């Protein structure tokens, strides 16, 4: 399986600057950050556009094709970029206010935080008497369609800041930001482990394997101490739609987890996901306000009448490597929007491929050529684009990654279902049921993996005992997987005493063994005695060789 590695930033030695904000004076972690930027500076630094050289139009067709490939990294700052940068700048500085390493605030916050995990009541009392500063962190949610450019935008904004700042004067290391992606089959536990692994690789002093068997609730204190130790500024979690409700135990658990990061540990958190992630915020409004108290950004496709669309297309259109330059007309504007539906990633790709086709033919861009390229080379995307073109919500619901909407089951009527079946051969209920079954299967697989079963064995056991009763499904799958583990254990050579013990062990699971022995027992043995006699419980005195 291909693993997407988190992005890495630069390392700098601290240079303390006057921030111009009285609240930030005397805060080394804030004063070491880059200067607060005005919008003009942000635009200049975020954009990724190389100045076009008209002389390159005289190159050979093969060389010009390579020049066109530069556009794949094309970034032009739009209104969302400015808004996101402003939010990020405020979040990271406000988050550091309660963690001043130049005073005793940092020590008091660390002590209060770790005490809170052991004895919350005492921790609350200490906060009042020792004047422990309250966390000043906040959360931000970015929900946007695939291809809108939200991940590219946050990566460009993170690049404005060093990732690690060394403070020789204070003998401290400052982790300014950390960005991780949720694993595709992710749980909150795996997300925690992903953060720990990345920090371990950055600083080389955290053993990821040591924490792999920790429960989720045990990992929170680890993350807390790690965040305080390295002065984590902002945690960015991308692709949060993978933290599905089924896999992670419910939206409440997820929101509580994010709230723990923000409110207990004091880390500002940015959550990024597609419209599928909206389900995470559809319940518990009280929690939603805490997770998104910095606000929410809905990153939709560009609208044809908006200034962002005009700016994006006009800047992109300047980069023509065909021998005949074509000025933007309303006809060309219309066809570019019609074929891309305002999705930035698709706009760039259509423009690239249209130029390559033009170089092979007329050496000029035309509306008919752009239409032909879009329909032929992006044929697989046409059903989704047709849904957007129709403007009908019931058709857009088929493609939740490109449409910000509510749950299909809540919106679609019986008439809608009939039309979708007749026009597209699509059984919506069957499709949704299949997705739910897949989520339930993944939930049980992850559950078994957390119990120490390999993924291959977990999937085999879960697939073999699939049933509508999820509780029964889990129990049968566990027994199947446990039986396989025992079979493997019996095949491994061991001491003669262990062989005798294992020989008497039943291979049909722990629960079944208890049930059978309970039926047979006549002297009212306890379950503990039964399990010890069967070899499930080891004698600690023998194990420690104290006899």
């Amino acid at each position: 399986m291909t693993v997407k590695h988190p992005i890495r930033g630069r390392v700098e030695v601290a240079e303390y600057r006057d921030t111009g904000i009285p609240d930030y004076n005397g805060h080394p972690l804030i004063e070491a950050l880059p200067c607060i930027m005005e919008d003009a500076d942000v635009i200049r630094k975020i954009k990724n556009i190389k100045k076009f050289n008209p002389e390159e139009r005289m190159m050979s067709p093969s060389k010009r094709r390579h020049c066109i490939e530069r556009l794949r990294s094309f970034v032009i700052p739009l209104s969302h970029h400015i808004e996101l940068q402003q939010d990020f700048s405020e979040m990271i500085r406000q988050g550091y206010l309660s963690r001043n390493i130049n005073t005793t605030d940092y020590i008091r916050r660390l002590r209060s935080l770790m005490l809170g995990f052991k004895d919350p009541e005492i921790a609350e009392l200490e906060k009042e008497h020792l004047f422990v500063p309250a966390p000043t962190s906040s959360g931000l949610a970015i929900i946007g369609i695939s291809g809108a450019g939200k991940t590219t935008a946050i990566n460009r904004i993170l690049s404005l800041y060093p990732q690690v700042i060394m403070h020789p004067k204070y003998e401290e290391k400052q982790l300014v930001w950390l960005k991780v992606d949720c694993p595709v089959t992710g749980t909150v536990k795996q997300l925690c482990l992903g953060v720990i692994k990345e920090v371990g690789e950055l600083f080389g002093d955290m053993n990821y394997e040591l924490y792999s068997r920790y429960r989720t609730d045990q990992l929170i204190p680890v993350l807390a101490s790690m965040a305080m130790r390295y002065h984590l500024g902002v945690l960015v979690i991308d692709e949060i739609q993978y933290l599905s409700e089924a896999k992670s135990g419910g939206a409440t658990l997820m929101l509580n987890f994010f709230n723990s990061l923000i409110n207990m540990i004091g880390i500002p958190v940015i959550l990024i996901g597609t419209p599928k992630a909206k389900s995470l915020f559809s319940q518990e409004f009280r929690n939603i306000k805490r997770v998104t108290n910095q606000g929410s950004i809905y990153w939709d496709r560009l609208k044809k009448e908006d200034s962002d669309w005009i700016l994006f297309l006009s800047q992109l259109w300047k980069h023509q490597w065909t021998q005949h330059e074509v000025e933007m007309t309303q006809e060309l504007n219309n066809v570019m929007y019609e074929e891309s539906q305002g999705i930035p990633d698709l706009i760039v790709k259509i423009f690239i491929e249209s130029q390559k086709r033009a170089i092979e033919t007329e050496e000029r861009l035309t509306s008919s050529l752009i239409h032909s390229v879009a329909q032929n080379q992006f044929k697989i995307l046409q059903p989704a684009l047709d849904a957007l073109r129709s403007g009908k919500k019931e058709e857009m619901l088929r493609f939740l990654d490109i449409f910000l909407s509510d749950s299909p089951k809540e919106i679609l009527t019986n008439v809608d279902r009939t039309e979708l079946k007749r026009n597209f051969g699509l059984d919506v209920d069957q499709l949704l049921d299949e997705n739910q079954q897949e989520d339930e299967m993944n939930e049980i697989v992850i559950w078994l993996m957390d119990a120490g079963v390999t993924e291959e064995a977990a999937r085999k056991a879960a697939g073999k005992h699939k049933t509508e009763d999820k509780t029964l499904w889990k129990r049968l799958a566990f027994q199947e997987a446990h039986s396989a583990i025992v079979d493997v254990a019996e095949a491994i050579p061991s001491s003669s005493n262990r062989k005798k013990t294992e020989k008497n062990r039943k291979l049909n699971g722990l629960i079944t063994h208890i049930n059978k022995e309970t039926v047979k027992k006549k002297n009212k043995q306890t379950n503990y005695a039964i399990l010890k006699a069967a070899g499930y419980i080891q004698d600690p005195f023998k194990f420690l060789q104290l006899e």
Side-chain angles (χ1 to χ4, degrees):
M1 182 175 65
T2 302
V3 179
K4 186 177 180 181
H5 199 283
I7 67 169
R8 294 280 173 82
R10 62 188 184 276
V11 179
E12 294 182 356
V13 177
E15 292 184 11
Y16 306 106
R17 309 171 182 87
D18 182 3
T19 64
I21 307 293
D23 297 358
Y24 301 154
N25 291 341
H27 286 68
L29 299 178
I30 300 178
E31 292 177 334
L33 297 175
C35 296
I36 298 174
M37 290 179 285
E38 301 299 330
D39 290 351
D41 296 325
V42 174
I43 292 172
R44 179 172 53 83
K45 292 186 176 182
I46 287 182
K47 70 177 181 180
N48 188 21
I49 310 173
K50 291 186 177 180
K51 187 176 181 180
F52 179 73
N53 182 4
E55 294 181 359
E56 291 181 345
R57 293 192 180 119
M58 299 298 104
M59 291 181 175
S60 67
S62 296
K63 290 182 178 179
R64 279 184 284 152
R65 289 175 65 93
H66 283 268
C67 293
I68 295 172
E69 286 296 311
R70 295 176 192 159
L71 293 177
R72 296 200 184 274
S73 59
F74 175 86
V75 177
I76 181 71
L78 304 174
S79 55
H80 279 324
H81 293 80
I82 305 301
E83 180 184 1
L84 179 55
Q85 193 284 141
Q86 291 172 343
D87 287 339
F88 185 90
S89 176
E90 294 163 8
M91 287 178 69
I92 192 168
R93 289 170 172 83
Q94 289 294 316
Y96 277 134
L97 273 179
S98 62
R99 294 183 282 163
N100 191 349
I101 61 174
N102 206 22
T103 68
T104 58
D105 289 354
Y106 164 64
I107 302 299
R108 284 181 290 158
R109 278 278 298 125
L110 179 59
R111 171 183 166 77
S112 176
L113 174 64
M114 301 315 295
L115 182 60
F117 290 111
K118 295 181 179 180
D119 197 326
E121 293 183 2
I122 294 180
E124 285 299 319
L125 290 174
E126 279 202 359
K127 284 182 181 179
E128 298 178 7
H129 293 287
L130 299 180
F131 304 103
V132 177
T136 50
S137 52
S138 58
L140 173 68
I142 305 172
I143 304 299
I145 64 170
S146 296
K150 54 191 182 297
T151 298
T152 299
I154 193 65
N155 289 347
R156 295 293 293 176
I157 290 169
L158 292 178
S159 70
L160 302 179
Y161 295 77
Q163 185 173 21
V164 177
I165 299 177
M166 311 299 292
H167 295 261
K169 178 180 178 180
Y170 300 94
E171 297 183 351
E172 298 284 354
K173 300 173 183 176
Q174 178 182 2
L175 180 56
V176 179
W177 55 264
L178 184 68
K179 180 176 180 290
V180 295
D181 291 338
C182 290
V184 176
T185 57
T187 64
V188 171
K189 176 182 176 179
Q190 289 175 322
L191 177 58
C192 292
L193 290 173
V195 173
I196 292 173
K197 183 176 182 181
E198 178 63 7
V199 173
E201 291 180 359
L202 279 170
F203 296 103
D205 55 359
M206 292 190 72
N207 186 354
Y208 165 77
E209 298 298 332
L210 179 65
Y211 304 105
S212 60
R213 291 194 176 274
Y214 278 38
R215 299 190 309 271
T216 302
D217 61 326
Q218 294 173 316
L219 290 172
I220 298 297
V222 176
L223 289 178
S225 60
M226 176 205 74
M228 295 297 289
R229 178 182 180 185
Y230 295 114
H231 311 290
L232 178 57
V234 173
L235 176 62
V236 182
I237 306 174
D238 204 353
E239 307 291 359
I240 63 168
Q241 68 273 8
Y242 293 137
L243 285 175
S244 68
E245 190 167 337
K247 297 173 188 173
S248 299
T252 302
L253 174 62
M254 288 175 243
L255 291 172
N256 286 338
F257 167 68
F258 295 135
N259 283 323
S260 295
L261 294 178
I262 297 169
N263 295 335
M264 292 182 63
I265 306 176
I267 309 174
V269 176
I270 297 178
L271 307 176
I272 306 174
T274 68
K276 290 181 180 179
K278 286 184 67 179
S279 61
L280 299 180
F281 305 100
S282 62
Q283 302 172 8
E284 306 231 1
F285 180 73
R286 179 175 60 87
N287 281 343
I288 298 171
K289 284 185 67 178
R290 291 205 300 266
V291 171
T292 62
N293 55 359
Q294 185 74 20
S296 300
I297 297 177
Y298 283 85
W299 206 298
D300 205 350
R301 57 198 177 110
L302 301 176
K303 304 301 181 184
K304 190 176 180 182
E305 63 276 7
D306 290 350
S307 58
D308 278 349
W309 161 255
I310 298 172
L311 175 62
F312 189 93
L313 185 59
S314 63
Q315 292 297 319
L316 182 66
W317 201 259
K318 294 178 180 179
H319 299 73
Q320 296 180 44
W321 280 271
T322 53
Q323 290 182 348
H324 301 287
E325 181 182 5
V326 176
E327 291 186 4
M328 172 56 61
T329 63
Q330 189 59 50
E331 180 184 1
L332 291 168
N333 183 307
N334 291 340
V335 73
M336 284 296 294
Y337 193 87
E338 179 69 13
E339 300 302 337
S340 68
Q341 286 300 296
I343 301 175
D345 182 61
L346 189 55
I347 298 169
V348 174
K349 289 178 178 176
I350 290 175
F351 190 60
I352 288 173
E353 297 305 322
S354 295
Q355 286 199 61
K356 290 180 179 178
R357 175 80 66 83
I359 288 175
E360 297 172 356
T361 55
E362 306 173 25
E363 286 284 0
R364 73 173 66 243
L365 291 169
T366 64
S367 58
S368 59
L369 181 143
I370 293 171
H371 173 75
S372 175
V373 168
Q375 293 294 318
N376 295 329
Q377 295 187 232
F378 300 94
K379 189 173 183 178
I380 194 173
L381 299 178
Q382 293 310 309
L385 294 172
D386 285 340
L388 291 175
R389 294 180 187 116
S390 72
K392 296 180 180 179
K393 184 176 289 188
E394 61 270 20
E395 294 188 17
M396 298 180 193
L397 289 171
R398 299 169 58 205
F399 308 96
L400 295 181
D401 277 348
I402 61 170
F403 179 57
L404 296 171
S405 85
D406 298 316
S407 170
K409 283 190 173 181
E410 296 176 358
I411 290 180
L412 291 183
T413 65
N414 290 331
V415 175
D416 296 327
R417 288 174 167 82
T418 301
E419 289 185 359
L420 289 172
K421 181 71 174 179
R422 181 176 65 251
N423 296 332
F424 300 99
L426 178 67
D427 189 330
V428 177
D429 292 323
Q430 180 181 349
L431 177 63
L432 294 174
D433 288 341
E434 289 175 356
N435 289 339
Q436 182 178 354
Q437 290 175 14
E438 182 180 355
D439 286 341
E440 290 177 350
M441 170 74 79
N442 286 330
E443 176 190 358
I444 293 176
V445 169
I446 296 296
W447 178 70
L448 290 172
M449 290 172 65
D450 285 342
V453 182
T454 64
E455 182 176 1
E456 182 180 358
R459 290 198 177 279
K460 184 177 180 181
K464 185 175 181 180
H465 297 282
K466 189 174 181 180
T467 176
E468 292 183 1
D469 187 337
K470 190 187 295 187
T471 302
L472 177 62
W473 187 1
K474 279 188 171 183
R475 181 158 60 86
L476 295 175
F478 178 81
Q479 291 180 3
E480 175 77 20
H482 177 75
S483 178
I485 292 174
V486 174
D487 286 341
V488 173
E490 294 249 344
I492 300 176
S494 57
S495 64
S496 58
N497 290 337
R498 184 173 180 180
K499 284 184 177 180
K500 290 179 182 178
T501 301
E502 295 289 349
K503 184 177 180 180
N504 295 325
R505 182 180 295 178
K506 301 298 180 181
L507 301 180
N508 52 2
L510 178 63
I511 304 300
T512 305
H513 184 80
I514 292 176
N515 292 339
K516 288 184 178 180
E517 291 296 330
T518 302
V519 172
K520 291 193 297 181
K521 68 183 181 181
K522 298 178 180 179
N523 57 351
K524 297 184 179 180
Q525 284 182 291
T526 64
N527 284 339
Y528 178 86
I530 294 171
L531 293 175
K532 187 173 181 180
Y536 285 98
I537 298 176
Q538 192 171 10
D539 190 323
F541 290 95
K542 290 182 179 180
F543 178 75
L544 297 173
Q545 298 180 346
L546 297 176
E547 292 188 326

